[in-house]
Amino acid sequence: MDSVTGLQPFGPSEALTLGVELELQLVSTHDYDLAPYSEEMLRLMALHKLPGNVVPEMTSSMIEISTGICQSSADVLGELSQIRDALVQCADKLNIAVVGGGTHPFQQWHERRIYDKPRFRELSELYGYLSKQFTIFGQHVHIGCPNADAALLMLHRMSRYIPHFIALSASSPYVQGQDTQFDSARLNSVFAFPMSGRAPFTLTWDGFSEFFDKTTRTGVVKSMKDFYWDIRPKPEFGTIEIRVFDTPLTIERAAALAGFVQSLASWLLHEQPFMPHEDDYMVYTYNRFQACRFGLEAVYVDPVTGEHMPLRDHIQLTMQRIAEHARTLGAKAGLQVLREDAELGTNDARWLREHQAREGLLAEVVRQGAVKFKGKG
């Protein structure tokens, strides 16, 4: 810990390295509702020698997988593929299935069980029913930063692209059997927590440490884990962690999104195209809402000029700017898929709605989602 504050020093990491976490749904193959099998899954997964980690999440129908430190989105896909295959094998033994998506389409939050772990019990006591409503599923992408000040600069530069991340990953249109009219309803649940939203605007680690010291003195927070910001520093890893992605329906899309983050970070780090400013955040909440509500049909407000344009056009513009970095990093193919999806307005939320329109039964949509997650749909 820092001698002056309780904030952990920002650790060393190789710039632009990647780490990905995915929160996944465990569902019964009987009715495709969530099933409380995380403990059994963890026990079976422990028998497999795998990269990264497999850990419990807030409620017992969730499981989180993570990669190790990766150099590229191809590495991310390689590690996630190994973990996915083991998950599917273990799930088959338990007569359950594993599914992506940011929300389960029809589960009832009051039926959830808090996983028996001290931190989860503590959060449940503090947040009450919100803890069970936090049965939502996200992808987190870590990007290595050369030092603490560079991490904060990257964090605030990256904030302009939060709508892009939300719209491309959106996969949570349904909550408790209802179409919410949002492409990403998941983030509405995150916003219910008091320490959600965006990080304070400071570009120096000393300034951030001072902020952290003040908040811990008030007793409002105890550690960095208590901040549910859209992007937060992760000092123990030497990274920033982007947390707005819904869990995609496939690991291929998860890897492509990680490649997008890495390519964008490379452009920001090497070309230093602009300096972030506190005024960037004047349109932040509006842009974030637009992306959650309308996905790739959203309007994007440029934080500098105030110009309104279709978000999908700004995604295309961004992809053009970072194309050379994507090629160098081996992320070109994944970005091309995302770019085409943006042009067509296609994301996982659209896939879910189209399948529900065809099937008329959300349980069947979840079943087909489980097949898709296996890489067979």
Side-chain angles (χ1 to χ4, degrees):
M1 297 289 179
D2 290 350
S3 57
V4 180
T5 77
L7 182 61
Q8 191 167 354
F10 195 87
S13 77
E14 185 183 340
L16 303 179
T17 47
L18 283 171
V20 171
E21 301 161 8
L22 291 178
E23 296 161 344
L24 296 164
Q25 309 179 31
L26 304 179
V27 301
S28 162
T29 51
H30 169 63
D31 59 6
Y32 288 92
D33 199 354
L34 288 178
Y37 278 81
S38 57
E39 199 162 334
E40 292 84 349
M41 282 289 285
L42 289 165
R43 190 169 64 246
L44 290 177
M45 288 292 286
L47 303 176
H48 292 257
K49 188 171 175 58
L50 294 165
N53 284 298
V54 184
V55 297
E57 252 300 336
M58 181 77 79
T59 63
S60 56
S61 305
M62 310 173 69
I63 200 163
E64 180 183 282
I65 65 174
S66 59
T67 69
I69 299 170
C70 297
Q71 298 293 324
S72 67
S73 55
D75 291 347
V76 168
L77 182 58
E79 293 199 6
L80 289 179
S81 296
Q82 292 180 61
I83 303 168
R84 187 267 316 273
D85 292 348
L87 279 171
V88 169
Q89 188 181 13
C90 293
D92 285 347
K93 291 180 180 176
L94 295 168
N95 291 317
I96 63 172
V98 184
V99 193
T103 55
H104 183 279
F106 60 88
Q107 66 96 13
Q108 301 293 311
W109 65 264
H110 61 86
E111 295 176 355
R112 305 284 61 88
R113 301 181 201 163
I114 301 297
Y115 188 89
D116 189 15
K117 185 178 174 184
R119 175 166 170 78
F120 297 152
R121 288 198 303 269
E122 183 183 321
L123 290 172
S124 179
E125 288 168 11
L126 175 61
Y127 290 118
Y129 84 107
L130 290 178
S131 303
K132 290 186 177 183
Q133 288 207 333
F134 212 53
T135 305
I136 52 177
F137 308 85
Q139 171 178 350
H140 301 164
V141 178
H142 291 261
I143 190 84
C145 299
N147 57 61
D149 288 356
L152 292 172
L153 189 57
M154 178 76 74
L155 184 158
H156 292 293
R157 280 180 168 144
M158 203 67 88
S159 72
R160 292 191 186 182
Y161 302 92
I162 286 295
H164 308 53
F165 301 152
I166 292 171
L168 287 167
S169 70
S171 62
S172 54
Y174 294 102
V175 173
Q176 300 202 46
Q178 301 299 312
D179 188 332
T180 63
Q181 305 300 312
F182 278 71
D183 270 22
S184 176
R186 166 185 160 268
L187 283 169
N188 294 330
S189 296
V190 178
F191 241 23
F193 286 78
M195 293 297 160
S196 61
R198 53 96 164 186
F201 188 78
T202 174
L203 297 179
T204 67
W205 194 249
D206 285 347
F208 186 81
S209 297
E210 187 178 337
F211 163 82
F212 183 85
D213 196 28
K214 286 177 180 176
T215 53
T216 50
R217 270 205 310 270
T218 65
V220 172
V221 299
K222 294 177 182 175
S223 74
M224 283 297 298
K225 284 184 178 179
D226 295 323
F227 294 112
Y228 292 88
W229 296 329
D230 293 343
I231 316 179
R232 68 183 180 190
K234 202 71 172 165
E236 63 268 39
F237 295 157
T239 66
I240 59 169
E241 177 189 17
I242 302 164
R243 300 164 51 82
V244 294
F245 301 95
D246 283 357
T247 295
L249 296 177
T250 65
I251 57 169
E252 288 77 15
R253 194 170 190 87
L257 290 165
F260 179 31
V261 171
Q262 188 186 38
S263 304
L264 185 59
S266 177
W267 177 64
L268 295 173
L269 183 66
H270 292 119
E271 298 192 30
Q272 306 276 320
F274 60 87
M275 278 300 290
H277 193 277
E278 176 72 62
D279 286 353
D280 289 354
Y281 289 100
M282 291 177 69
V283 296
Y284 182 86
T285 304
Y286 179 81
N287 280 340
R288 188 185 190 276
F289 167 80
Q290 278 280 320
C292 288
R293 173 66 176 85
F294 300 108
L296 291 163
E297 303 301 323
V299 169
Y300 180 75
V301 182
D302 187 287
V304 177
T305 65
E307 178 190 357
H308 290 229
M309 65 190 299
L311 175 59
R312 62 167 71 180
D313 289 356
H314 202 272
I315 290 172
Q316 297 290 348
L317 184 62
T318 303
M319 296 287 192
Q320 289 170 20
R321 286 170 174 165
I322 67 174
E324 188 58 31
H325 295 271
R327 188 189 64 76
T328 302
L329 293 163
K332 183 179 176 182
L335 257 68
Q336 184 59 33
V337 170
L338 295 177
R339 192 170 180 174
E340 289 170 5
D341 284 350
E343 192 173 347
L344 296 170
T346 301
N347 57 15
D348 284 342
R350 180 166 166 180
W351 186 95
L352 290 162
R353 285 194 173 108
E354 287 175 349
H355 281 69
Q356 169 61 4
R358 188 170 69 227
E359 305 296 343
L361 187 65
L362 284 171
E364 174 59 18
V365 176
V366 177
R367 187 194 70 78
Q368 292 183 21
V371 174
K372 190 175 180 70
F373 180 77
K374 288 181 179 181
K376 299 177 180 177

